[in-house]
Amino acid sequence: MKKERFESLCQTAESGQDAFISHPDTRERGMVTSCIRPTGHMMIRTPEGQTRCWDYHDCEEMNLRKSGPML
């Protein structure tokens, strides 16, 4: 992931909106809960409720489509 997307996802998560990423090496995915900007790490909560800390260089953004009516 590029630095600009890291910053954008951090801002999204910090504003209370959902931001999702995946880790291709481990095939895990999760929601960004916070960021450690000086080191470039993201705190992630997996669907199983586990916490992970991933370097943004190792992650990919997940583009989830919203279901239901668009407002």
Side-chain angles (χ1 to χ4, degrees):
M1 166 183 315
K2 294 185 179 184
K3 177 83 171 175
E4 296 80 22
R5 290 308 307 149
F6 165 70
E7 289 294 338
S8 178
L9 290 170
C10 290
Q11 290 176 356
T12 298
E14 290 166 354
S15 72
Q17 299 176 29
D18 294 344
F20 295 93
I21 63 171
S22 64
H23 194 288
D25 293 341
T26 64
R27 296 186 178 183
E28 289 185 292
R29 58 188 171 84
M31 185 172 72
V32 179
T33 58
S34 63
C35 296
I36 306 167
R37 283 188 170 90
T39 62
H41 287 84
M42 305 171 98
M43 299 302 297
I44 309 303
R45 186 174 58 240
T46 68
E48 297 78 26
Q50 298 177 332
T51 300
R52 299 282 188 258
C53 181
W54 296 334
D55 186 301
Y56 81 88
H57 293 102
D58 299 330
C59 300
E60 294 178 354
E61 183 176 5
M62 293 178 62
N63 292 318
L64 302 177
R65 293 183 184 202
K66 293 184 179 181
S67 60
M70 300 287 285
L71 299 177

